[in-house]
Amino acid sequence: MRTNTVFALTLSLPLGLALGLACESKPAAPAPAPASQPAAFTPKPVKLKDSSLPVLSPAQPVASLAGPLDAALADYLVLKDALVRGDETTARAAAKAAKDKLMTAKATPEVDATWTAQAKVIGPALDAMIAEGSTLAVQREQLSPLSEGLFTAARSFGAGKGLNIQYCPMALNNTGAYWLSKEREIANPYYGAMMLRCGGEVARLGPAEEGS
């Protein structure tokens, strides 16, 4: 027997967003172990207010950070797609490539504290994914802090324009988790084929594409 549950999400971001999300649950669906979420993301049940897709404006680009972040985000998208397919080998290689790109990032004194705070979230997540013997379950668990750290850094330093922020309320033992995607169609990296379309869009980073 299948049940449909409607969830909604509020982000503690400047726009005060609210978006209803629906997932189809499967009784036997296992989930990875829960992971803690940074305070910038606070999912909780709310009434459906607005089903439109908000657009979050990034800050002015910081060249020494935006370039490496955009390069790392390209690897992140490869990693995310690998997790959708359940391909831990490709996910590990993409995590290593993303870390290499981020090693070239140079923060100016004005933004050093902000960058350091996000690097402390992003770095350990990538290291856990890269570690020899890291499993698909570990990689999916670490995708949550990695996604949130990269999103916060991208928005802070003018990178990642056009990426969609997506959310699954059932991920990580029903605590909920985010990911970034170039495509608007949901392809859930936390469950893969088991619940491929579980989740919904939360917002888009940067200007909306015409016709989207």
Side-chain angles (χ1 to χ4, degrees), residues 9-178:
L9 170 70
T10 297
L11 295 181
S12 58
L13 293 169
L15 298 183
L17 313 177
L19 176 70
L21 303 177
C23 283
E24 183 180 72
S25 63
K26 296 185 178 181
S36 59
Q37 294 188 352
F41 294 84
T42 54
K44 60 181 181 180
V46 294
K47 292 182 179 180
L48 179 62
K49 299 290 186 183
D50 182 6
S51 60
S52 63
L53 187 62
V55 177
L56 306 179
S57 299
Q60 285 295 109
V62 178
S64 60
L65 291 172
L69 274 168
D70 276 328
L73 283 165
D75 293 316
Y76 167 92
L77 294 175
V78 173
L79 185 161
K80 181 266 299 179
D81 289 342
L83 295 182
V84 171
R85 300 191 305 272
D87 181 353
E88 63 188 60
T89 300
T90 299
R92 185 180 297 111
K96 175 64 166 61
K99 182 178 180 180
D100 289 345
K101 305 288 177 30
L102 291 174
M103 292 294 287
T104 68
K106 304 294 183 184
T108 61
E110 294 78 11
V111 299
D112 183 68
T114 303
W115 169 244
T116 298
Q118 297 314 312
K120 288 180 178 179
V121 175
I122 296 167
L126 288 172
D127 286 341
M129 290 179 163
I130 295 166
E132 185 177 352
S134 67
T135 64
L136 185 62
V138 168
Q139 292 171 345
R140 283 174 166 165
E141 178 183 342
Q142 294 301 318
L143 182 67
S144 177
L146 175 62
S147 300
E148 296 175 9
L150 282 174
F151 162 75
T152 303
R155 192 180 184 203
S156 297
F157 306 121
K161 292 181 181 178
L163 288 180
N164 299 299
I165 301 130
Q166 299 174 335
Y167 177 78
C168 172
M170 297 183 68
L172 306 180
N173 285 344
N174 293 315
T175 61
Y178 299 84

